[in-house]
């Protein structure tokens, strides 16, 4: 059966810590390959507005009603602008999956947050409140956080929307666009 | 036979005439659907640097050796920043196809150039020096200008790299990215 539902992948662009804002790109893909839409917003580097910006981007999109799930590359954008995916799901009605290649190292994250942020406890709480699940792929395993969706369904969607490598096409494409528009040419792995 | 060669589609972003520069996006697609790279440059609105910027973007790309053809949405970028495709082909070694939905109206173009540019004759000469061919598609016909490639080969490539509608995927995707990153959400037809 050919998969024809739409997913939105989200990734942030490369940035320097002296930058105030960083571009965040959303890619809407039908099935496992057909790019239908490109969205862009900006979030503050190490800021606190990721949720507001993402829910705005999703809710204002003409694709909102059609998106089965949003997949975010990572649990934070622009450094430690952490995404509360439970709240994002609540605010948009669209289930959310965060995807990382490596299992988050909470000890390291905690120590980095403590060092840099007065409100480190709040950020740490958001980052750690969702259970992280390990999903096998044909390549390396990936690690996901979930809101509004079961692990079983998330696994199915990730499998159906991944064409090559370990990451769903939406996430791979969002990464290509975010790096390309910022650096002049896309590079690296999502 | 599955088409696996790479093409690069190029489109400019929407702009206002008071803008100094406009974003120009290159999309590298393998076969008729797999996005492999995203490139970006900027050209001056109504400027004269389109050739220099495009050849720089193409020659600096790690995909240059692999690109069979570059397909540009239109014969000029950022208004009347006209592209000399013969020169672009000479400077990059990559054949070039310009694609427009409508047949260019040279009377209208001439009168617009005369009105706005001191160097209108030079721009008009560049725009008109390539013969324009009409190509039938499953949808509406398109009009192409060619450099470094025969009409026959251009027709084959356009047919093989078009998935839906009248335009090759590279051009469609470059358009989605260029409008999306500028306006917040992609829209309209390439």
């Amino acid at each position: 059966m050919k998969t024809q539902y739409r997913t939105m992948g989200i990734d942030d662009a490369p940035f320097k810590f002296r930058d105030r804002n960083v571009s965040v790109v959303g890619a809407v893909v039908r099935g496992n390959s057909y790019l239908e839409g490109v969205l862009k917003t900006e979030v503050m580097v190490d800021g606190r507005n990721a949720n507001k910006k993402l829910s705005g981007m999703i809710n204002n999109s003409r694709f909102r009603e059609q998106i089965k799930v949003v997949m975010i590359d990572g649990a934070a954008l622009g450094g430690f602008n952490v995404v509360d995916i439970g709240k994002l799901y609540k605010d948009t009605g669209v289930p959310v999956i965060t995807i990382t290649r490596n299992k988050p190292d909470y000890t390291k994250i905690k120590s980095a947050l403590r060092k840099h942020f007065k409100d480190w406890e709040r950020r740490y709480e958001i980052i750690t409140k969702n259970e992280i699940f390990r999903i096998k792929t044909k390549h390396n395993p990936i690690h996901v956080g979930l809101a509004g969706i079961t692990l079983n369904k998330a696994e199915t969607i990730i499998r159906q929307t991944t064409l090559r490598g370990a990451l769903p096409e939406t996430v791979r494409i969002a990464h290509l666009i975010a790096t390309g528009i910022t650096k002049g040419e896309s590079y690296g792995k999502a």
Side-chain angles (χ1 to χ4, degrees), chain A:
Chain A
M1 197 197 62
K2 207 156 177 210
T3 304
Q4 287 297 353
Y5 56 83
R6 291 170 180 88
T7 56
M8 182 192 288
I10 293 175
D11 198 7
D12 56 357
F15 64 96
K16 298 189 176 71
F17 279 96
R18 65 169 182 268
D19 295 339
R20 184 174 163 80
N21 289 301
V22 56
S23 293
V24 173
V25 169
V28 177
V29 171
R30 178 142 50 100
N32 66 5
S33 66
Y34 192 71
L35 183 64
E36 281 199 332
V38 174
L39 295 97
K40 202 198 89 167
T41 188
E42 290 192 343
V43 303
M44 275 184 71
V45 173
D46 282 340
R48 287 288 302 271
N49 63 352
N51 263 81
K52 192 181 155 193
K53 291 300 191 131
L54 290 186
S55 60
M57 183 173 86
I58 295 164
N59 284 333
N60 289 326
S61 168
R62 66 177 187 283
F63 294 105
R64 188 179 73 90
E65 302 281 333
Q66 303 159 1
I67 300 166
K68 202 180 180 77
V69 67
V70 163
M71 297 191 265
I72 306 173
D73 188 357
L77 301 168
F80 279 113
N81 201 329
V82 295
V83 182
D84 183 338
I85 60 172
K87 183 166 164 41
L88 185 59
Y89 168 56
K90 212 183 104 194
D91 291 344
T92 62
V94 184
V96 182
I97 304 174
T98 59
I99 300 182
T100 53
R101 291 181 179 271
N102 300 314
K103 193 178 168 184
D105 181 340
Y106 288 142
T107 314
K108 252 190 181 166
I109 290 170
K110 192 176 193 172
S111 125
L113 286 172
R114 271 191 124 134
K115 199 170 155 188
H116 295 292
F117 300 101
K118 276 187 189 160
D119 64 347
W120 70 271
E121 283 178 302
R122 177 80 189 112
R123 294 182 197 240
Y124 186 70
E125 186 200 323
I126 293 171
I127 286 185
T128 53
K129 79 177 169 185
N130 292 288
E131 194 177 347
I132 300 297
F133 302 94
R134 189 172 183 271
I135 294 184
K136 284 184 190 171
T137 77
K138 283 181 193 169
H139 294 259
N140 295 322
I142 56 175
H143 297 82
V144 301
L146 309 171
I149 187 168
T150 64
L151 176 58
N152 202 15
K153 271 200 178 169
E155 282 191 285
T156 302
I157 290 175
I158 289 168
R159 196 178 59 243
Q160 289 179 334
T161 60
T162 301
L163 205 58
R164 294 187 180 85
L167 296 182
E169 277 298 281
T170 39
V171 175
R172 192 187 67 82
I173 291 173
H175 174 80
L176 284 182
I177 298 172
T179 57
I181 63 169
T182 307
K183 293 293 183 177
E185 178 158 354
S186 51
Y187 65 89
K189 283 184 157 184

